Amino acid sequence: ATAVPIDVVTIAPPPKGTAVALAVDSKGNIFVLETSGESNWVTEYPAGGGTPIMGSADTNDDIQVTGIAVDGHENTFVSFVAPISDNPQISGPANNPYNNLGAGLGYPTGVALDGIANVFVADAGSTGIVEYPVSGAPMFTIGSGLNSPNGIALDGAGNIYESDAGTNTVKEIKALGGYFISPELPAGLNFDETTGIISGTPTATSPATNYTVTGHNITSSSSTTVSIAITGPPATLANL
């Protein structure tokens, strides 16, 4: 493929550390998540220029920061990987003091917010999307059965977009709900992510395998397991 030429404009000076991720608020301010040695911090680059504002550094060298999001009040939310499962792995706001939202994630790789500040985390360790409701209700998984989710974003309608590293695809989780299945069905079978219906004619044998079907909407999800085995080709007049 031929690369399309574009104009690249530097809009911020080089960060003091290694830039890991960034987010932009509704005013155009840019928030860069940075790391260097044993320290991690967020630097705000004001819209239209001006002096960058460096946040307080966290000096815990045992964590690996992975993603950042910002709400309408310039509160920043940071996902990170901690070596101890009990450690909080999503925090916000990422200024002093930190407000730890939750622990128990497997390997959080990104964080995003919707229009009312619900927090969504791509968790590669649990192969799902975890939501922390703004109401303070317990977190829950709304997109299980994904394959190493590695990034997350939401549009204005609340639809979730996830980059699936395990399958090299981009998946959409509709705000109105839908279905996922994992692992992939045998060749010839199709899964409708809107209705949850399995259809088609298998084209190859396959051993008995458990498939997890997850139905979800923006507030909850539920899963069930279906076992499918393909023992031979479909019966036709030619092989009866």
Side-chain angles (χ1 to χ4, degrees):
T2 302
V4 178
I6 59 174
D7 292 328
V8 178
V9 178
T10 299
I11 58 176
K16 295 182 179 296
T18 299
V20 176
L22 63 81
V24 182
D25 69 10
S26 59
K27 301 174 184 177
N29 300 307
I30 302 170
F31 297 79
V32 179
L33 178 60
E34 301 179 45
T35 185
S36 178
E38 298 180 357
S39 298
N40 308 288
W41 66 90
V42 175
T43 300
E44 178 184 352
Y45 295 86
T51 303
I53 305 169
M54 180 177 171
S56 300
D58 171 70
T59 57
N60 186 344
D61 62 344
D62 290 331
I63 68 172
Q64 175 188 347
V65 290
T66 58
I68 184 173
V70 59
D71 66 15
H73 302 287
E74 297 190 6
N75 296 311
T76 50
F77 298 77
V78 174
S79 59
F80 58 91
V81 179
I84 304 174
S85 60
D86 290 339
N87 281 357
Q89 293 168 296
I90 173 69
S91 298
N95 306 310
N96 266 336
Y98 283 89
N99 174 27
N100 294 311
L101 298 184
L105 299 171
Y107 197 101
T109 55
V111 59
L113 306 176
D114 66 10
I116 60 173
N118 293 308
V119 180
F120 299 82
V121 180
D123 188 17
S126 67
T127 64
I129 303 298
V130 176
E131 178 180 351
Y132 292 85
V134 67
S135 64
M139 72 177 194
F140 58 89
T141 301
I142 62 172
S144 63
L146 305 175
N147 195 332
S148 297
N150 198 42
I152 184 172
L154 284 86
D155 63 18
N159 299 308
I160 302 170
Y161 299 88
E162 172 263 338
S163 56
D164 210 51
T167 58
N168 293 321
T169 58
V170 175
K171 297 183 180 294
E172 178 184 4
I173 302 174
K174 295 184 179 296
L176 296 179
Y179 297 87
F180 287 97
I181 191 167
S182 179
E184 292 187 5
L185 290 169
L189 295 182
N190 303 304
F191 183 76
D192 191 316
E193 293 187 350
T194 301
T195 63
I197 294 175
I198 298 173
S199 61
T201 301
T203 59
T205 60
S206 176
T209 303
N210 289 330
Y211 297 87
T212 300
V213 179
T214 302
H216 67 88
N217 57 31
I218 200 64
T219 61
S220 65
S221 68
S222 181
S223 298
T224 190
T225 300
V226 178
S227 180
I228 299 175
I230 311 298
T231 58
T236 66
L237 292 177
N239 58 31
L240 285 177

